[in-house]
Amino acid sequence: MNNPPHSRRAEMPALQLTGSTTLLPRMQRIAEAYMETHAVRIVVNGGCGTARGYKALLDGTTDIAMASGTAPDDLAAAAAARGLPFRATVVRRDAIVPLVHASNPVDALTLLQLRNVFTGRIADWARLGGPRAPIEVLVGPPTGGVSTSWRQRLLGADDTCTPLARVLGTADRLARMAARPFTITYAPHMAVPPHLKVLRIADTAPGDKVFAPLMLVTLGPWTLPAARFIAYAAAAGDAGDAGAAASAEADRA
Amino acid sequence: MRRREACILLAGAGTLATAACTPGRGAAPAEQESLLVGGAAAMVPLARALAQAFVQGRADVAVVVERGGSLPAYIAASRGAIDLAAMTRALSDTEDDAGARQYLIARDDIGIVVNPNQTLRSLTRAQVRAAFAGEIANWRALGGPDAPLTVYAHARGATARQSAEHLLLGGGALALDARECADDAALAAAVAADATAIGYLPGHARAAADSLGLLAVDGVEATRATVLSGRYPFTHSFHLLLHGAPGRTRAEFVRFARSPAGQAIVERLGLVAVC
């Protein structure tokens, strides 16, 4: 890996990526694999979240944004106003799953029950067949791609999360839940650590899950190196999950 | 390089004093524009080298580079007190406001080096932190041989030491009893001569020290690929921050830093080109 096919920098274009923390560990591995066989430098910036990835595209500070959700309205409008809409390629669709502590006796909830939990209308596990204990709701940053997808699907346009919900990044939520048996949150399926349990959604068919579209996004037309890398990443999207999940746990949100 | 002598004092977070100490030798042309770049000490050599090349053959621009620190520089740039902030960290969510545009212009890494006879090949981030914080007295506690552990570092106040404390220890302090070395070469020599040694060397200084053992961290070796991907945990990123209206000359400076000519300077300093 120390000896890429062409070592002279000047001959090798560089592509910079930034954005979604969900996509970060996966793209780091894909970037390394790609550089072994292609004379391109793929430079992955630390994850700063989906919204900031879109902002970086508009600012011209990145070539490709990593996104786990659609662009915030103001940024999409800014792109449209320039006549350069965001161009997104889905490299993977990752299920977003509700998570509880592994010791929680509740195994499945309906979509309506989940909605009531996240809005705060149901605030005690006893109402869901669990122990008598208040439900502690953890959510991700509101502009995060995964949170946006979860909110759109579960709450729709009319409801909002309970104001009692604690806002933390993915890794921080999962870490906090290790010591707190009565918490509930959601996360991309690939990031689930062993101390947590995936809740089954009782009334959805397997093909009807809540998905976060994991995307690589450019502003305006593709350059050739970007087009090639994005095509490669889309083809590699389903490979190498175990390693990516392991490093997702180790990284901060 | 012709430039007005000026110094910017970027005192602690939140407070800022700018003092121009002028007495100009060779009065600058009236229309000369002065670009003020303030930032992290670790970026000063790169910023100076870029500035020197940028003003080559241009009588209309002078660039002044002063060290301050990433946060004071961010604050100064966001208030318009300086033209560009040179930062060794990414912006926080609140810092990345509508006016902020932060460009990655170079990478480096901090490698964990040991004596060539050391049998241990890998540590976790937590073990690295504990070892350099002085919490580990014996290599056995890290899964290594039963032998004392000796930490080597740069002298107090040295930029390389600050970078190590920032990256390896999350801002914490290095072991009080760390043996102090005058520079990278002295540190490399000391680690090469002591079987119990653990030390750190930035990537740009390791070419001259390739006999040392280099430990993987969290199973990831510091290679060009893992530094570009950012998967190596102690990857050091160098950024330029523009805040507010682009301004012609300072935007030109950023473009130059990201151009092939600017990136050639990055490589000349032993850093990793990223544009």
Side-chain angles (χ1 to χ4, degrees), chain B residues 46-227:
Chain B
L46 173 59
R48 290 223 165 107
L50 288 170
Q52 204 162 3
F54 181 68
V55 300
Q56 203 78 49
R58 298 184 57 159
D60 60 325
V61 181
V63 183
V64 178
V65 178
E66 290 298 337
R67 62 185 278 177
S70 289
L71 178 60
Y74 173 83
I75 293 168
S78 66
R79 291 179 183 170
I82 60 176
D83 295 294
L84 283 164
M87 302 177 70
T88 50
R89 61 170 177 82
L91 297 176
S92 70
D93 284 353
T94 45
E95 288 170 344
D96 193 11
D97 56 24
R101 289 181 307 288
Q102 195 189 39
Y103 299 86
L104 180 70
I105 61 162
R107 279 244 168 104
D108 198 4
D109 69 82
I110 294 189
I112 308 303
V113 292
V114 292
N115 188 270
N117 295 321
Q118 177 58 249
T119 52
L120 202 71
R121 301 264 47 107
S122 178
L123 290 176
T124 66
R125 250 183 289 192
Q127 287 174 322
V128 168
R129 178 188 288 251
F132 281 95
E135 293 160 13
I136 307 267
N138 192 300
W139 279 99
R140 189 151 50 165
L142 301 173
D146 182 10
L149 179 141
T150 313
V151 177
Y152 286 85
H154 295 79
R156 266 157 241 257
T159 300
R161 182 180 175 118
Q162 289 167 3
S163 295
E165 288 180 333
H166 167 59
L167 276 182
L168 309 184
L169 298 168
L174 272 158
L176 287 173
D177 60 351
R179 308 266 173 95
E180 296 188 13
C181 306
D183 54 25
D184 294 331
L187 199 152
V191 172
D194 180 352
T196 71
I198 189 167
Y200 57 84
L201 271 184
H204 70 260
R206 284 204 306 276
D210 54 1
S211 68
L212 296 179
L214 183 65
L215 298 187
V217 180
D218 284 346
V220 184
E221 289 179 36
T223 65
R224 192 170 156 286
T226 61
V227 168

Side-chain angles (χ1 to χ4, degrees), chain A residues 1-2 4 9 12 14 16 25 28-29 31-32 35 41-46 48 52 55 59-61 250-251, chain B residues 91-93 96-97 100-104 107 125 223-226 228-231 260 263 267 273-275:
Chain A
M1 284 210 281
N2 271 325
R9 190 209 60 78
M12 291 171 57
Q16 292 193 1
Q28 286 177 325
R29 285 175 185 278
E32 286 170 29
M35 285 189 281
R41 291 163 296 142
I42 310 292
V43 185
V44 188
N45 256 315
C48 55
R52 286 177 61 190
K55 175 180 182 287
D59 287 348
T61 57
D251 286 335
Chain B
L91 297 176
S92 70
D93 284 353
D96 193 11
D97 56 24
R101 289 181 307 288
Q102 195 189 39
Y103 299 86
L104 180 70
R107 279 244 168 104
R125 250 183 289 192
T223 65
R224 192 170 156 286
T226 61
L228 286 174
S229 79
R231 200 161 61 87
Q263 293 295 300
E267 291 198 317
V274 295
C275 303

Side-chain angles (χ1 to χ4, degrees), chain B residues 252-272:
Chain B
E252 259 174 53
F253 185 81
V254 171
R255 259 200 308 281
F256 173 73
R258 289 157 54 85
S259 71
Q263 293 295 300
I265 292 169
V266 166
E267 291 198 317
R268 203 183 70 217
L269 296 179
L271 305 172
V272 178

Side-chain angles (χ1 to χ4, degrees), chain A:
Chain A
M1 284 210 281
N2 271 325
N3 301 303
H6 301 85
S7 53
R8 281 209 46 215
R9 190 209 60 78
E11 298 166 6
M12 291 171 57
L15 286 174
Q16 292 193 1
L17 279 73
T18 195
S20 164
T21 52
T22 306
L23 207 42
L24 175 69
R26 184 186 310 277
M27 290 316 304
Q28 286 177 325
R29 285 175 185 278
I30 290 177
E32 286 170 29
Y34 191 73
M35 285 189 281
E36 280 186 37
T37 50
H38 296 75
V40 178
R41 291 163 296 142
I42 310 292
V43 185
V44 188
N45 256 315
C48 55
T50 293
R52 286 177 61 190
Y54 284 109
K55 175 180 182 287
L57 276 181
L58 284 169
D59 287 348
T61 57
T62 195
D63 300 299
I64 298 174
M66 302 181 283
S68 52
T70 50
D73 292 344
D74 55 334
L75 298 182
R82 286 196 212 170
L84 288 173
F86 292 121
R87 180 167 181 181
T89 303
V90 175
V91 294
R92 193 187 156 82
R93 283 158 57 81
D94 216 42
I96 309 174
V97 290
L99 294 173
V100 293
H101 195 270
S103 69
N104 195 315
V106 176
D107 288 319
L109 293 176
T110 64
L111 273 176
L112 183 61
Q113 283 174 319
L114 277 172
R115 177 174 180 161
N116 287 336
V117 166
F118 278 90
T119 56
R121 286 191 286 266
I122 292 179
D124 198 292
W125 285 107
R127 288 187 58 193
L128 301 168
R132 187 168 297 282
I135 301 175
E136 184 182 343
V137 179
L138 304 182
V139 299
T143 57
V146 170
S147 293
T148 302
S149 298
W150 180 255
R151 211 168 46 239
Q152 283 169 352
R153 174 64 196 279
L154 198 69
L155 306 183
D158 306 330
D159 257 337
T160 53
C161 274
T162 166
L164 298 177
R166 185 182 286 263
V167 180
L168 293 169
T170 306
D172 290 339
R173 292 205 301 285
L174 302 187
R176 181 179 172 84
M177 289 179 78
R180 303 183 72 84
F182 302 115
T183 44
I184 186 167
T185 194
Y186 52 84
H189 193 269
M190 64 180 176
V192 179
H195 62 265
L196 300 183
K197 177 169 79 172
V198 176
L199 277 187
R200 197 161 50 79
I201 304 181
D203 53 352
T204 51
D208 192 29
K209 290 175 180 160
V210 184
F211 282 104
L214 303 182
M215 300 177 284
L216 294 182
V217 188
T218 56
L219 188 63
W222 279 341
T223 61
L224 188 58
R228 285 186 175 152
F229 176 70
I230 290 172
Y232 177 93
D238 290 313
D241 281 356
S247 48
E249 281 170 53
D251 286 335
R252 71 169 195 89

